[in-house]
Amino acid sequence: MNILGIETSCDECSASVVEDGRLIKSNVVATQIELHKPYEGVVPELASRLHTEWISQVVKYSIESAGLKNSDIDGVAVSNRPGLLGSLLVGTNFAKAFAYALKIPFIGIDHIRAHLYASQVEHPLEYPYLGVLVSGGHTVICKVNSFDDIEVLGTTIDDAIGEAFDKVAKFYGLGYPGGIQIDRLSKLGDPNAFLFPGPSIKDSKHPYDISYSGLKTAAINQREKFLQKGKEDSKENLAASFQRQAVGMLMKRVRDALRKTGLKRVSAGGGVAANSLLREELSSLREGGYEVSFPSIKLCTDNGAMVAALGYRYLNEGIHDDEYLSSYARVKAFSSYKTRES
Ligand code: KG4
Ligand code: ZN
């Protein structure tokens, strides 16, 4: 079964063809990063306009570069929630029209679930496992029982981890998108140069919740202090110290959750799963006998392949949407197929 996956939830216009949920035949990602750079962040109106201009060509190229024709496509999956509404609508409406024209089924996919599912394409783990979803908009620790059955154990109570990376990078003048710049700069700095505070939340009812706003503010204030005193700051040391704490806080929750749930497998997904320190720390869990899986870098950030792969799981079971499929800017974390509008 060849599934076309379409992803337009934010600033990447992507389409991919995946066979039987595992074989990635093409994964075209047209990034808008350079066009949003002058604004130091994604401009929603600009993003949706660019998706509108690019989507037809991106889809066409993804099918051609897979060595296929439109008639070889058996179904369409599209990220229809959550994200920038205008951007989501471009992908959703294109997917519906394309599927209708070809008389093939289509399905709307939760973008966040697709991120978490990405690791299953390349290095599948047996269920259940601990899921760690770390992106620009979400930070969730969960128990993944199947591709459609996910129990949220903890989430951020304020900023998402990627958002904290991006905001700190912006204040350090590192440009957009900031996560990758902090990662790069950290390699040149001393991670123990500054001791930034950890989260102050101690909520026994939600032991896996996490907070990034205190760390973000402390990292920003530290640079302000340098600037006020007219001192030379070391962006490398600041970046490395911030990254060490951001990843350390997350890993503490991951280790606690593994211990308390007794799960023996763990998988990460989302843009921040591309972070080199996080990948190192997750890999080190293998020494304790855990099975660890995370996607290759290309499948960490937004891409159509993860959408196609997860879409295959539903379409293969005969689950699909109808012409009334819409897009949703916000949904409950990991809204299930039946409850996604809630
Ligand atoms: O999953 P994603 O592409 O989009 C969302 O669904 O949010 O994640 C984007 C986030 C951004 O915050 C970006 O700065 C972060 O992932 N990111 C990284 C790295 N690469 C991307 N953060 C830390 N280290 C990286 N290497
Ligand atoms: Zn994403």
Side-chain angles (χ1 to χ4, degrees), residues 232-265:
E232 245 332 276
D233 62 337
S234 162
K235 284 187 192 167
E236 291 82 359
N237 286 350
L238 285 166
S241 303
F242 163 79
Q243 178 174 279
R244 186 189 74 118
Q245 184 65 313
V247 171
M249 280 160 50
L250 182 73
M251 285 307 296
K252 181 174 177 334
R253 298 289 190 278
V254 168
R255 287 197 191 90
D256 284 352
L258 284 171
R259 221 177 13 252
K260 290 193 188 133
T261 59
L263 291 167
K264 290 285 170 236
R265 293 174 284 269

Side-chain angles (χ1 to χ4, degrees), residues 25-41:
K25 291 183 160 170
S26 68
N27 190 19
V28 179
V29 182
T31 181
Q32 303 178 356
I33 284 178
E34 289 304 319
L35 295 149
H36 292 281
K37 242 182 198 159
Y39 311 99
E40 294 185 22

Side-chain angles (χ1 to χ4, degrees), residues 16-32:
S16 164
V17 180
V18 178
E19 186 184 315
D20 293 341
R22 291 294 304 279
L23 179 66
I24 299 175
K25 291 183 160 170
S26 68
N27 190 19
V28 179
V29 182
T31 181
Q32 303 178 356

Side-chain angles (χ1 to χ4, degrees), residues 108-300:
I109 292 292
D110 181 332
H111 173 81
I112 303 305
R113 279 176 178 267
H115 269 307
L116 199 62
Y117 190 76
S119 64
Q120 292 292 89
V121 181
E122 298 166 312
H123 316 286
L125 287 180
E126 248 177 64
Y127 296 107
Y129 57 80
L130 190 77
V132 184
L133 187 279
V134 278
S135 72
H138 291 79
T139 308
V140 186
I141 294 180
C142 52
K143 184 174 173 222
V144 184
N145 297 314
S146 78
F147 69 90
D148 191 51
D149 178 8
I150 298 175
E151 289 168 53
V152 175
L153 301 178
T155 64
T156 177
I157 59 163
D158 40 55
D159 291 344
I161 183 169
E163 198 180 344
F165 268 86
D166 291 342
K167 286 188 180 155
V168 168
K170 191 171 173 179
F171 271 85
Y172 289 3
L174 302 179
Y176 160 85
I180 193 162
Q181 304 299 346
I182 295 223
D183 192 355
R184 185 183 54 78
L185 216 59
S186 294
K187 296 196 171 76
L188 310 170
D190 173 7
N192 299 309
F194 300 98
L195 286 179
F196 290 132
S200 55
I201 46 166
K202 279 198 184 67
D203 181 347
S204 54
K205 274 197 192 144
H206 303 102
Y208 308 114
D209 277 358
I210 198 161
S211 160
Y212 276 106
S213 79
L215 169 62
K216 175 194 73 185
T217 308
I220 290 170
N221 288 347
Q222 184 63 53
R223 176 151 195 260
E224 292 281 297
K225 277 189 218 157
F226 274 125
L227 293 179
Q228 277 161 13
K229 288 184 190 159
K231 282 204 314 196
E232 245 332 276
D233 62 337
S234 162
K235 284 187 192 167
E236 291 82 359
N237 286 350
L238 285 166
S241 303
F242 163 79
Q243 178 174 279
R244 186 189 74 118
Q245 184 65 313
V247 171
M249 280 160 50
L250 182 73
M251 285 307 296
K252 181 174 177 334
R253 298 289 190 278
V254 168
R255 287 197 191 90
D256 284 352
L258 284 171
R259 221 177 13 252
K260 290 193 188 133
T261 59
L263 291 167
K264 290 285 170 236
R265 293 174 284 269
V266 55
S267 165
V272 184
N275 182 265
S276 51
L277 179 63
L278 180 58
R279 292 168 90 85
E280 244 174 65
E281 294 274 332
L282 285 168
S283 300
S284 74
L285 292 171
R286 294 193 177 112
E287 289 156 24
Y290 293 101
E291 233 184 291
V292 181
S293 171
F294 40 79
S296 59
I297 303 285
K298 194 141 194 231
L299 292 197
C300 285

